[in-house]
């Protein structure tokens, strides 16, 4: 008789779970350090750090899988009646016109002020729900299929007045957030990674402490991350009334992917006029910035909150 091994479903899942954790990137790095250096204070510290990353990632995995849906939803907005109740990315521009953009819906957000009229569209992968992401059960899944980007943002702008100075685009936090020590090192490493991806000339500041600014009598700078226009990945210049549908710009205009040097030259020479409509798309740093889970990726194993 040949020996046989019987493994029930629960034991099989337990073994798979153990293997998954053993090959977790953080655990792998720590184990390699122990093998290379032996049992030293440094290797023990790396092992403890790996256990922290493992512990922090476990609840989010459970939460992501418990909220997964498998009901065959498709891109058409009418077929997503309950996606608005799920997680994801949503928000509004400040000052708000009351219009909320929700990345669970492929809807265009509108902004109008004395400087320009603009349409905005944000597309994201459901990184808070790995099962739905893998199955492609979310709006825009076809666009992300086969691509490494985690999100993409698009702007379609008609300028009412010609810009007098060089334009940058980026984000600004509403309040000052102190950053020091380990977090400051991670932040600097991430900015260096993003600067390499976008092509340099990025402006980043942690901002000024309001208390220190008050003592010196100066205006406190808010935390900001800004990039020149050539950090975009796609640009389309159109006559007014001839601009493309912002939801369907595949392959149009000039793309960074077709030649970074030529694209940067084109963007540096781009003349922003009031009789044109400009459509911009941006995604180059999305591989390292998970905007849904608010996590920086690629700096340390497991990402950083």
């Amino acid at each position: 008789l040949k020996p046989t091994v019987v493994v029930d479903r629960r034991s099989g899942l337990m073994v798979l779970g153990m293997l998954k954790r053993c090959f977790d990137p953080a655990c792998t790095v720590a184990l390699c350090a122990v093998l290379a250096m032996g049992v030293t204070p440094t290797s023990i510290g790396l092992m403890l750090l790996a256990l922290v990353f493992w512990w922090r990632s476990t609840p989010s995995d459970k939460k992501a899988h418990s909220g997964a849906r498998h009901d065959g939803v498709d891109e058409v907005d009418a077929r997503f009646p309950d996606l608005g109740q799920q997680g994801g990315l949503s928000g509004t521009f400040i000052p708000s016109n009351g219009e909320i953009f929700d990345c669970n819906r492929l809807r265009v957000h509108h902004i109008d002020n004395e400087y320009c009229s603009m349409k905005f569209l944000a597309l994201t992968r459901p990184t808070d729900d790995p099962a739905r992401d893998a199955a492609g059960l979310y709006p825009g899944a076809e666009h992300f299929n086969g691509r490494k980007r985690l999100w993409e943002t698009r702007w379609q702008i008609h300028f009412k007045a010609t810009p007098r100075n060089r334009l940058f685009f980026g984000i600004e936090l509403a309040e000052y957030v102190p950053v020091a020590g380990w977090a400051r090192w991670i932040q600097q490493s991430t900015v260096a990674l993003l600067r390499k991806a976008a092509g340099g000339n990025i402006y980043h500041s942690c901002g000024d402490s309001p208390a220190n600014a008050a003592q010196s009598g100066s205006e406190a700078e808010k935390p900001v991350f800004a990039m020149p226009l050539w950090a975009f990945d796609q640009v389309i210049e159109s006559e007014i009334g001839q601009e493309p549908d912002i939801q369907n710009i595949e392959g149009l205009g000039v793309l960074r992917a077709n030649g970074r040097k030529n694209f940067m030259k084109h963007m540096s020479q781009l003349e922003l006029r009031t009789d044109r409509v400009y459509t911009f798309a941006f995604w180059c740093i999305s591989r390292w910035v998970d905007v849904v889970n608010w996590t920086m990726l690629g700096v340390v194993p497991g990402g950083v909150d």
Side-chain angles (χ1 to χ4, degrees):
L1 296 176
K2 294 182 179 180
T4 60
V5 178
V6 179
V7 181
D8 62 16
R9 184 173 182 274
R10 188 189 311 175
S11 300
L13 291 175
M14 185 182 300
V15 172
L16 287 175
M18 291 174 63
L19 288 173
K20 178 183 176 182
R21 289 304 174 192
C22 285
F23 287 98
D24 179 86
C27 293
T28 302
V29 171
L31 288 172
C32 289
V34 172
L35 291 174
M37 297 184 292
V39 181
T40 65
T42 302
S43 63
I44 293 174
L46 288 172
M47 181 63 74
L48 291 175
L49 184 61
L51 290 174
V52 170
F53 281 119
W54 174 86
W55 176 77
R56 285 180 62 87
S57 65
T58 301
S60 60
D61 290 345
K62 290 180 179 178
K63 180 179 177 182
H65 284 87
S66 65
R69 295 178 62 238
H70 305 279
D71 53 3
V73 291
D74 195 49
E75 271 195 32
V76 183
D77 189 62
R79 297 179 63 183
F80 289 86
D82 58 343
L83 278 184
Q85 304 301 319
Q86 298 190 12
L89 182 68
S90 60
T92 187
F93 282 91
I94 300 175
S96 176
N97 60 2
E99 189 176 349
I100 304 296
F101 66 82
D102 181 358
C103 289
N104 285 324
R105 315 281 188 190
L106 289 181
R107 293 177 181 169
V108 179
H109 191 77
H110 301 82
I111 304 97
D112 189 81
N113 54 44
E114 67 266 35
Y115 304 110
C116 68
S117 295
M118 185 177 77
K119 296 178 181 178
F120 173 79
L121 179 67
L123 303 94
T124 64
R125 305 178 75 114
T127 52
D128 57 339
D129 190 340
R132 190 156 61 97
D133 184 16
L137 303 178
Y138 60 94
E142 233 178 74
H143 179 70
F144 287 104
N145 185 35
R147 289 172 166 149
K148 296 181 180 180
R149 69 192 71 164
L150 299 181
W151 48 263
E152 180 178 329
T153 56
R154 300 174 183 176
W155 292 265
Q156 193 167 80
I157 306 175
H158 173 218
F159 291 99
K160 297 179 181 179
T162 303
R164 290 177 295 178
N165 299 311
R166 186 180 180 189
L167 292 187
F168 282 72
F169 73 102
I171 59 173
E172 180 184 81
L173 299 188
E175 298 178 354
Y176 171 73
V177 180
V179 181
W182 172 252
R184 184 63 175 266
W185 178 84
I186 291 176
Q187 184 186 72
Q188 291 174 343
S189 300
T190 303
V191 171
L193 190 67
L194 302 183
R195 182 174 282 112
K196 184 177 180 180
N201 204 20
I202 289 175
Y203 179 76
H204 170 259
S205 172
C206 293
D208 301 321
S209 165
N212 293 341
Q215 289 180 357
S216 62
S218 60
E219 181 181 358
E221 181 184 34
K222 295 180 179 179
V224 62
F225 180 83
M227 294 165 284
L229 293 185
W230 48 252
F232 278 116
D233 293 277
Q234 183 178 5
V235 59
I236 307 163
E237 184 177 359
S238 312
E239 298 281 347
I240 296 177
Q242 301 299 316
E243 62 272 13
D245 179 358
I246 195 173
Q247 298 186 63
N248 185 20
I249 61 172
E250 191 78 25
L252 301 179
V254 185
L255 286 86
R256 170 194 286 261
N258 293 339
R260 176 171 163 177
K261 185 176 181 179
N262 289 335
F263 181 82
M264 293 174 66
K265 180 179 179 181
H266 175 83
M267 294 300 289
S268 63
Q269 296 174 349
L270 183 65
E271 182 183 358
L272 300 175
R273 299 162 45 176
T274 58
D275 60 345
R276 295 286 190 274
V277 175
Y278 301 90
T279 305
F280 302 101
F282 180 66
W283 63 80
C284 66
I285 67 172
S286 70
R287 291 173 56 187
W288 299 282
V289 182
D290 185 342
V291 295
V292 175
N293 293 314
W294 205 241
T295 304
M296 297 185 295
L297 307 174
V299 181
V300 296
V304 181
D305 187 352

